[in-house]
Amino acid sequence: MWVIILLKRFAFVFCFLFIIPFTCYGADNSASSAVVIDADTKTILYEKNAYECRSMASTTKIMTALLAIESNMLDNPVVITAEMLDTEGSSLGLNVDDKITLNDLVVGMMMTSGNDSANAVAYFLGKDLKGFAQMMNSKAKEIGMKSTVFVTPSGLDEGEHHSTAYDMALLGAYAVKNETFAKVSAMKSADITISNKKVTVYNHNKLLAMDDNFFGIKTGYTSKAGRCLVSAKKCNGNSLICVTLNAPDDWNDHIRLMNECGKKYKKQTVNAEVKIPVVGSDAEAVSCKYKGEYYALGEVTVKLYYHPFVYAPIKKGDTIGVACVYKNNELIERLPMKADEDLNYAKQERSQTTEVYG
Protein backbone atom coordinates (compact mmCIF):
# COMPACT_ATOMS: atom_id res chain seq x y z
CA MET A 1 0.00 0.00 0.00
CA TRP A 2 1.17 3.47 -0.82
CA VAL A 3 1.17 5.86 2.11
CA ILE A 4 0.85 9.60 1.51
CA ILE A 5 3.24 11.55 3.69
CA LEU A 6 3.69 15.31 3.76
CA LEU A 7 6.79 16.42 1.91
CA LYS A 8 9.70 16.98 4.19
CA ARG A 9 12.17 19.82 3.75
CA PHE A 10 15.63 18.65 2.85
CA ALA A 11 18.29 19.89 5.22
CA PHE A 12 20.86 21.04 2.71
CA VAL A 13 20.74 24.22 0.68
CA PHE A 14 23.02 24.51 -2.32
CA CYS A 15 24.25 28.05 -2.89
CA PHE A 16 26.23 29.51 -5.74
CA LEU A 17 27.49 33.04 -5.26
CA PHE A 18 29.31 35.21 -7.73
CA ILE A 19 30.79 38.57 -6.85
CA ILE A 20 30.33 40.76 -9.90
CA PRO A 21 31.15 44.43 -10.39
CA PHE A 22 27.72 45.29 -11.79
CA THR A 23 27.84 49.01 -12.51
CA CYS A 24 29.77 50.35 -15.47
CA TYR A 25 30.51 53.95 -16.27
CA GLY A 26 31.37 55.84 -19.43
CA ALA A 27 30.18 53.34 -22.04
CA ASP A 28 29.81 54.88 -25.47
CA ASN A 29 26.29 56.20 -26.12
CA SER A 30 24.64 59.40 -27.27
CA ALA A 31 22.43 60.00 -24.22
CA SER A 32 22.69 62.89 -21.80
CA SER A 33 21.34 60.52 -19.15
CA ALA A 34 21.09 56.75 -19.24
CA VAL A 35 20.63 53.74 -17.00
CA VAL A 36 20.10 49.98 -17.27
CA ILE A 37 18.64 48.03 -14.36
CA ASP A 38 17.55 44.48 -13.65
CA ALA A 39 13.75 44.64 -13.55
CA ASP A 40 13.44 42.21 -10.63
CA THR A 41 16.17 43.35 -8.25
CA LYS A 42 16.52 46.98 -9.47
CA THR A 43 20.28 46.37 -9.56
CA ILE A 44 21.98 49.07 -11.63
CA LEU A 45 23.95 47.49 -14.45
CA TYR A 46 24.94 50.74 -16.16
CA GLU A 47 24.53 54.42 -15.41
CA LYS A 48 25.40 57.77 -16.92
CA ASN A 49 24.01 60.84 -15.15
CA ALA A 50 21.19 58.55 -14.04
CA TYR A 51 20.00 60.93 -11.28
CA GLU A 52 20.08 64.11 -13.32
CA CYS A 53 16.65 65.77 -13.57
CA ARG A 54 15.50 66.12 -17.16
CA SER A 55 12.37 66.29 -19.29
CA MET A 56 11.16 62.82 -20.30
CA ALA A 57 8.67 63.63 -23.07
CA SER A 58 6.12 60.93 -23.98
CA THR A 59 7.74 58.25 -21.85
CA THR A 60 5.44 59.97 -19.34
CA LYS A 61 2.62 57.99 -20.94
CA ILE A 62 3.92 54.86 -19.22
CA MET A 63 2.44 56.25 -16.00
CA THR A 64 -0.75 57.42 -17.73
CA ALA A 65 -1.33 53.99 -19.25
CA LEU A 66 -0.47 52.21 -16.00
CA LEU A 67 -3.03 54.22 -14.01
CA ALA A 68 -5.68 53.51 -16.62
CA ILE A 69 -4.94 49.78 -16.51
CA GLU A 70 -4.90 49.67 -12.72
CA SER A 71 -8.27 51.46 -12.57
CA ASN A 72 -9.98 48.20 -13.63
CA MET A 73 -12.23 50.23 -15.92
CA LEU A 74 -10.71 49.33 -19.28
CA ASP A 75 -14.08 48.21 -20.67
CA ASN A 76 -15.74 51.51 -19.79
CA PRO A 77 -16.72 53.80 -22.67
CA VAL A 78 -15.27 57.29 -22.85
CA VAL A 79 -17.01 60.13 -24.69
CA ILE A 80 -14.48 62.60 -26.09
CA THR A 81 -14.98 66.25 -25.12
CA ALA A 82 -13.45 69.47 -26.40
CA GLU A 83 -11.30 69.94 -23.30
CA MET A 84 -9.72 66.51 -23.86
CA LEU A 85 -8.60 67.67 -27.29
CA ASP A 86 -7.10 70.94 -26.06
CA THR A 87 -3.52 69.82 -26.69
CA GLU A 88 -0.87 69.77 -29.40
CA GLY A 89 1.65 67.40 -30.92
CA SER A 90 1.10 63.74 -31.79
CA SER A 91 -2.51 62.64 -32.00
CA LEU A 92 -4.66 59.54 -32.22
CA GLY A 93 -7.08 61.57 -34.35
CA LEU A 94 -9.94 61.81 -31.89
CA ASN A 95 -12.87 64.18 -32.44
CA VAL A 96 -15.47 65.67 -30.14
CA ASP A 97 -18.26 63.18 -29.30
CA ASP A 98 -16.20 60.17 -30.41
CA LYS A 99 -16.85 57.10 -28.30
CA ILE A 100 -13.97 54.79 -27.39
CA THR A 101 -13.24 52.40 -24.56
CA LEU A 102 -10.60 53.22 -21.98
CA ASN A 103 -8.73 50.14 -23.18
CA ASP A 104 -8.54 51.42 -26.74
CA LEU A 105 -7.42 54.83 -25.49
CA VAL A 106 -4.53 53.11 -23.73
CA VAL A 107 -3.63 51.02 -26.77
CA GLY A 108 -3.84 54.02 -29.08
CA MET A 109 -1.79 56.12 -26.70
CA MET A 110 0.97 53.53 -26.36
CA MET A 111 1.06 52.79 -30.10
CA THR A 112 0.84 56.29 -31.63
CA SER A 113 1.80 58.34 -28.56
CA GLY A 114 -1.36 60.39 -29.02
CA ASN A 115 -1.50 63.38 -26.70
CA ASP A 116 -5.26 63.59 -27.24
CA SER A 117 -5.68 60.03 -25.94
CA ALA A 118 -3.49 60.80 -22.91
CA ASN A 119 -5.61 63.84 -22.11
CA ALA A 120 -8.78 61.79 -22.53
CA VAL A 121 -7.52 59.24 -20.01
CA ALA A 122 -6.60 62.04 -17.60
CA TYR A 123 -10.01 63.75 -17.73
CA PHE A 124 -11.85 60.44 -17.50
CA LEU A 125 -9.95 59.21 -14.42
CA GLY A 126 -8.89 62.45 -12.73
CA LYS A 127 -11.76 64.75 -13.73
CA ASP A 128 -9.18 67.30 -14.90
CA LEU A 129 -5.44 67.50 -15.66
CA LYS A 130 -4.53 68.72 -12.18
CA GLY A 131 -6.44 65.92 -10.50
CA PHE A 132 -4.81 63.33 -12.71
CA ALA A 133 -1.35 64.80 -12.06
CA GLN A 134 -1.99 64.24 -8.36
CA MET A 135 -2.78 60.60 -9.11
CA MET A 136 0.43 60.30 -11.15
CA ASN A 137 2.59 61.80 -8.41
CA SER A 138 0.98 59.65 -5.74
CA LYS A 139 1.76 56.53 -7.77
CA ALA A 140 5.30 57.77 -8.42
CA LYS A 141 5.85 58.08 -4.67
CA GLU A 142 4.54 54.54 -4.17
CA ILE A 143 6.97 53.19 -6.77
CA GLY A 144 9.93 55.05 -5.24
CA MET A 145 10.39 57.75 -7.88
CA LYS A 146 11.89 60.34 -5.56
CA SER A 147 13.05 62.85 -8.17
CA THR A 148 9.98 62.99 -10.41
CA VAL A 149 7.22 65.56 -10.78
CA PHE A 150 4.36 64.87 -13.18
CA VAL A 151 2.38 67.83 -14.51
CA THR A 152 1.00 66.61 -17.84
CA PRO A 153 -0.38 63.16 -18.75
CA SER A 154 1.19 63.31 -22.21
CA GLY A 155 4.72 64.41 -21.45
CA LEU A 156 4.39 67.87 -23.00
CA ASP A 157 6.69 70.23 -21.12
CA GLU A 158 4.85 72.37 -18.62
CA GLY A 159 5.88 73.74 -15.23
CA GLU A 160 8.18 71.42 -13.27
CA HIS A 161 7.39 68.31 -15.29
CA HIS A 162 10.59 66.25 -15.03
CA SER A 163 12.14 62.96 -13.97
CA THR A 164 15.47 61.10 -14.04
CA ALA A 165 16.68 58.12 -16.01
CA TYR A 166 16.76 56.08 -12.80
CA ASP A 167 13.21 57.02 -11.79
CA MET A 168 11.90 56.19 -15.25
CA ALA A 169 13.66 52.82 -15.04
CA LEU A 170 11.86 52.13 -11.76
CA LEU A 171 8.58 53.03 -13.46
CA GLY A 172 9.36 50.78 -16.41
CA ALA A 173 10.28 47.85 -14.16
CA TYR A 174 7.05 48.29 -12.21
CA ALA A 175 4.91 48.65 -15.32
CA VAL A 176 6.11 45.52 -17.13
CA LYS A 177 5.16 43.44 -14.09
CA ASN A 178 1.56 44.21 -15.03
CA GLU A 179 0.55 41.59 -17.61
CA THR A 180 -1.88 43.87 -19.42
CA PHE A 181 0.63 46.70 -19.68
CA ALA A 182 3.37 44.34 -20.84
CA LYS A 183 1.09 42.89 -23.52
CA VAL A 184 0.07 46.31 -24.84
CA SER A 185 3.56 47.78 -24.88
CA ALA A 186 4.93 44.76 -26.76
CA MET A 187 2.39 44.91 -29.61
CA LYS A 188 3.73 46.04 -32.97
CA SER A 189 0.23 46.97 -34.14
CA ALA A 190 -3.33 46.72 -32.93
CA ASP A 191 -6.92 47.29 -34.02
CA ILE A 192 -9.00 49.69 -31.95
CA THR A 193 -12.54 51.00 -32.37
CA ILE A 194 -13.44 54.70 -32.47
CA SER A 195 -17.17 55.41 -32.77
CA ASN A 196 -17.82 51.92 -34.21
CA LYS A 197 -15.07 52.32 -36.78
CA LYS A 198 -12.07 50.00 -36.75
CA VAL A 199 -8.72 51.76 -36.81
CA THR A 200 -5.33 50.05 -37.06
CA VAL A 201 -2.55 51.70 -35.07
CA TYR A 202 1.18 50.97 -35.25
CA ASN A 203 3.81 51.09 -32.54
CA HIS A 204 6.52 53.76 -32.89
CA ASN A 205 9.02 51.57 -30.98
CA LYS A 206 11.36 50.26 -33.70
CA LEU A 207 13.21 48.02 -31.24
CA LEU A 208 10.29 45.59 -31.34
CA ALA A 209 11.04 44.92 -34.99
CA MET A 210 14.82 44.98 -34.60
CA ASP A 211 15.08 42.28 -31.92
CA ASP A 212 12.34 39.89 -30.77
CA ASN A 213 13.79 39.91 -27.25
CA PHE A 214 12.62 43.50 -26.76
CA PHE A 215 9.09 43.64 -25.35
CA GLY A 216 8.38 47.36 -24.85
CA ILE A 217 7.95 49.95 -23.70
CA LYS A 218 7.71 53.66 -24.81
CA THR A 219 9.28 56.30 -27.02
CA GLY A 220 9.18 60.07 -26.56
CA TYR A 221 10.29 63.38 -28.03
CA THR A 222 9.94 67.10 -27.41
CA SER A 223 12.28 69.88 -28.47
CA LYS A 224 13.23 70.39 -24.81
CA ALA A 225 13.63 66.72 -23.87
CA GLY A 226 15.15 65.46 -27.10
CA ARG A 227 14.70 61.80 -28.03
CA CYS A 228 13.72 59.72 -24.99
CA LEU A 229 13.25 55.98 -24.81
CA VAL A 230 12.40 53.39 -22.18
CA SER A 231 12.86 49.80 -23.33
CA ALA A 232 12.52 46.32 -21.87
CA LYS A 233 14.35 43.22 -23.02
CA LYS A 234 14.43 39.54 -22.09
CA CYS A 235 17.93 38.18 -21.55
CA ASN A 236 18.32 34.48 -20.67
CA GLY A 237 15.25 34.49 -18.47
CA ASN A 238 15.91 37.92 -16.97
CA SER A 239 14.22 41.25 -17.75
CA LEU A 240 16.32 44.38 -18.27
CA ILE A 241 15.06 47.96 -18.38
CA CYS A 242 17.03 50.61 -20.28
CA VAL A 243 16.32 54.35 -20.21
CA THR A 244 17.96 57.06 -22.30
CA LEU A 245 17.04 60.75 -22.09
CA ASN A 246 18.10 63.14 -24.85
CA ALA A 247 19.77 60.47 -26.98
CA PRO A 248 19.96 61.25 -30.71
CA ASP A 249 21.02 57.65 -31.49
CA ASP A 250 18.68 55.95 -29.04
CA TRP A 251 17.86 52.80 -31.05
CA ASN A 252 21.51 51.83 -31.35
CA ASP A 253 22.24 53.02 -27.81
CA HIS A 254 19.67 50.62 -26.38
CA ILE A 255 20.87 47.69 -28.45
CA ARG A 256 24.48 48.22 -27.36
CA LEU A 257 23.66 48.88 -23.71
CA MET A 258 21.36 45.88 -23.43
CA ASN A 259 23.90 43.58 -25.09
CA GLU A 260 26.68 44.80 -22.81
CA CYS A 261 24.63 44.51 -19.63
CA GLY A 262 23.27 41.11 -20.62
CA LYS A 263 26.81 39.75 -20.38
CA LYS A 264 26.84 40.48 -16.64
CA TYR A 265 24.50 37.58 -15.95
CA LYS A 266 26.62 34.54 -15.18
CA LYS A 267 25.55 31.02 -16.06
CA GLN A 268 24.95 28.85 -13.01
CA THR A 269 24.22 25.11 -13.03
CA VAL A 270 22.42 23.42 -10.16
CA ASN A 271 22.45 19.63 -10.03
CA ALA A 272 22.82 16.87 -7.48
CA GLU A 273 22.15 13.21 -6.79
CA VAL A 274 20.10 12.33 -3.70
CA LYS A 275 19.50 8.93 -2.07
CA ILE A 276 15.98 8.37 -0.72
CA PRO A 277 15.19 5.33 1.48
CA VAL A 278 13.02 2.62 -0.12
CA VAL A 279 10.59 0.25 1.58
CA GLY A 280 9.78 -3.11 0.02
CA SER A 281 12.88 -3.52 -2.12
CA ASP A 282 16.18 -5.31 -1.74
CA ALA A 283 17.86 -1.93 -2.25
CA GLU A 284 18.07 0.38 0.75
CA ALA A 285 17.66 3.59 -1.26
CA VAL A 286 16.86 4.90 -4.69
CA SER A 287 19.03 7.44 -6.45
CA CYS A 288 17.33 10.51 -7.91
CA LYS A 289 18.74 13.50 -9.75
CA TYR A 290 17.80 17.01 -10.79
CA LYS A 291 19.50 19.60 -12.98
CA GLY A 292 18.89 23.18 -14.10
CA GLU A 293 20.80 26.04 -15.73
CA TYR A 294 20.22 29.70 -14.98
CA TYR A 295 21.69 33.12 -15.65
CA ALA A 296 21.79 35.36 -12.61
CA LEU A 297 23.58 38.32 -11.08
CA GLY A 298 23.74 36.94 -7.56
CA GLU A 299 23.12 33.68 -5.79
CA VAL A 300 20.94 30.79 -6.86
CA THR A 301 19.75 28.50 -4.06
CA VAL A 302 18.01 25.14 -4.09
CA LYS A 303 15.73 23.59 -1.47
CA LEU A 304 14.78 19.93 -1.82
CA TYR A 305 11.41 18.51 -0.85
CA TYR A 306 10.58 14.78 -0.88
CA HIS A 307 8.97 11.97 1.10
CA PRO A 308 11.08 10.60 3.97
CA PHE A 309 10.85 7.22 2.20
CA VAL A 310 9.19 5.70 -0.87
CA TYR A 311 7.71 2.29 -1.64
CA ALA A 312 8.82 -0.17 -4.29
CA PRO A 313 8.35 -0.76 -7.14
CA ILE A 314 9.94 2.33 -8.70
CA LYS A 315 10.52 2.93 -12.37
CA LYS A 316 13.40 4.91 -13.77
CA GLY A 317 12.14 8.44 -14.48
CA ASP A 318 9.47 8.44 -11.75
CA THR A 319 9.24 11.82 -10.00
CA ILE A 320 9.76 11.29 -6.28
CA GLY A 321 10.56 14.79 -5.14
CA VAL A 322 10.99 18.39 -6.22
CA ALA A 323 13.92 20.80 -6.19
CA CYS A 324 12.73 24.39 -5.69
CA VAL A 325 15.12 26.89 -7.28
CA TYR A 326 15.32 30.42 -5.90
CA LYS A 327 16.95 33.45 -7.45
CA ASN A 328 17.29 36.52 -5.25
CA ASN A 329 15.07 34.71 -2.72
CA GLU A 330 12.27 34.37 -5.29
CA LEU A 331 11.04 30.98 -6.47
CA ILE A 332 11.73 30.73 -10.20
CA GLU A 333 11.33 27.03 -10.98
CA ARG A 334 10.40 23.64 -9.58
CA LEU A 335 12.64 20.88 -10.94
CA PRO A 336 11.41 17.28 -10.72
CA MET A 337 13.67 14.88 -8.81
CA LYS A 338 13.51 11.74 -10.93
CA ALA A 339 14.49 8.19 -10.07
CA ASP A 340 17.69 7.14 -11.80
CA GLU A 341 17.00 3.40 -11.68
CA ASP A 342 14.35 0.68 -11.59
CA LEU A 343 13.70 -0.97 -8.22
CA ASN A 344 11.41 -4.00 -7.98
CA TYR A 345 9.78 -5.68 -5.03
CA ALA A 346 12.10 -7.56 -2.67
CA LYS A 347 12.63 -11.25 -3.52
CA GLN A 348 10.92 -13.47 -0.98
CA GLU A 349 12.06 -17.05 -0.38
CA ARG A 350 9.26 -19.55 -0.47
CA SER A 351 8.93 -21.59 2.72
CA GLN A 352 9.27 -25.34 2.23
CA THR A 353 7.28 -27.92 4.26
CA THR A 354 7.64 -31.71 4.57
CA GLU A 355 4.53 -33.85 4.46
CA VAL A 356 4.52 -36.89 6.86
CA TYR A 357 2.27 -39.80 6.18
CA GLY A 358 1.20 -42.10 8.99
Side-chain angles (χ1 to χ4, degrees), residues 116-134:
D116 52 354
S117 50
N119 270 19
V121 170
Y123 276 100
F124 180 74
L125 294 179
K127 307 306 179 184
D128 56 32
L129 299 184
K130 184 176 180 179
F132 190 70
Q134 291 175 347

Side-chain angles (χ1 to χ4, degrees), residues 81-218:
T81 64
E83 60 186 355
M84 294 176 178
L85 304 181
D86 186 16
T87 185
E88 59 184 14
S90 55
S91 171
L92 182 59
L94 299 172
N95 296 300
V96 174
D97 293 331
D98 274 342
K99 294 181 180 179
I100 182 173
T101 63
L102 184 61
N103 179 79
D104 284 356
L105 278 176
V106 169
V107 173
M109 176 176 58
M110 292 297 290
M111 297 287 111
T112 69
S113 201
N115 293 338
D116 52 354
S117 50
N119 270 19
V121 170
Y123 276 100
F124 180 74
L125 294 179
K127 307 306 179 184
D128 56 32
L129 299 184
K130 184 176 180 179
F132 190 70
Q134 291 175 347
M135 294 172 62
M136 298 173 82
N137 288 314
S138 177
K139 189 66 180 183
K141 183 177 180 181
E142 176 188 330
I143 293 172
M145 303 171 68
K146 297 180 180 180
S147 301
T148 299
V149 175
F150 288 109
V151 178
T152 67
S154 61
L156 288 177
D157 295 306
E158 183 178 324
E160 294 299 315
H161 190 86
H162 68 265
S163 187
T164 66
Y166 178 71
D167 275 9
M168 293 305 294
L170 292 181
L171 175 59
Y174 182 93
V176 297
K177 295 295 183 183
N178 183 295
E179 292 184 6
T180 300
F181 181 95
K183 180 180 178 180
V184 170
S185 68
M187 293 190 298
K188 297 176 183 178
S189 65
D191 290 333
I192 63 174
T193 302
I194 304 176
S195 295
N196 297 319
K197 181 180 179 181
K198 188 180 78 170
V199 178
T200 302
V201 291
Y202 298 91
N203 202 321
H204 291 178
N205 187 353
K206 293 182 180 180
L207 291 175
L208 300 178
M210 298 170 75
D211 185 338
D212 288 340
N213 290 312
F214 281 97
F215 63 102
I217 48 179
K218 190 67 189 75

